[in-house]
Amino acid sequence: QVQLLESGGGLVESGGSLRLSCSAAGTRLGAARTGWYRQAPGKQRELVAVITSGGGTTNYADSVKGRFTISRDGARNTVDLQMNNLKPEDTAIYYCNAHFSETYDFWGQGTQVTVSS
């Protein structure tokens, strides 16, 4: 059974940093397109950053370019999201998604990130 677990969320002041980690059990994240999404209260879930399987091409939402970095650690079987220069509008629940195919797609339960002004 595949399980994803996010960690690293918390409360931070504006301008601060956090590092989120998505760990996987029952699968290898290197074989998936793995993304970090977020959902703020009253808003739709949006893609923040994604890293492809294999070569690891990355893409970012315009709102986080230059501030967030997604990376994969094969030894730890994790996909991390380094978030710098955080802003209050980054406040949301952050979710990890591992996409292998249309029918083999998994989500974690999310981790709360709160940025105070």
Side-chain angles (χ1 to χ4, degrees), residues 8-9 19 24 26-27 29 37 45 48 51 53 56 59-60 66 70 78 83 90 96 104 106:
R19 187 176 183 88
T27 192
L29 287 177
Y37 293 73
R45 190 173 297 190
V48 175
I51 185 167
S53 61
N59 280 291
Y60 299 90
I70 189 170
T78 62
M83 306 187 294
D90 295 317
C96 176
Y104 203 66
F106 303 94

Side-chain angles (χ1 to χ4, degrees), residues 31-35 97-106:
R33 184 187 74 211
T34 306
N97 169 259
H99 180 86
F100 297 86
S101 70
E102 291 306 310
T103 56
Y104 203 66
D105 184 274
F106 303 94

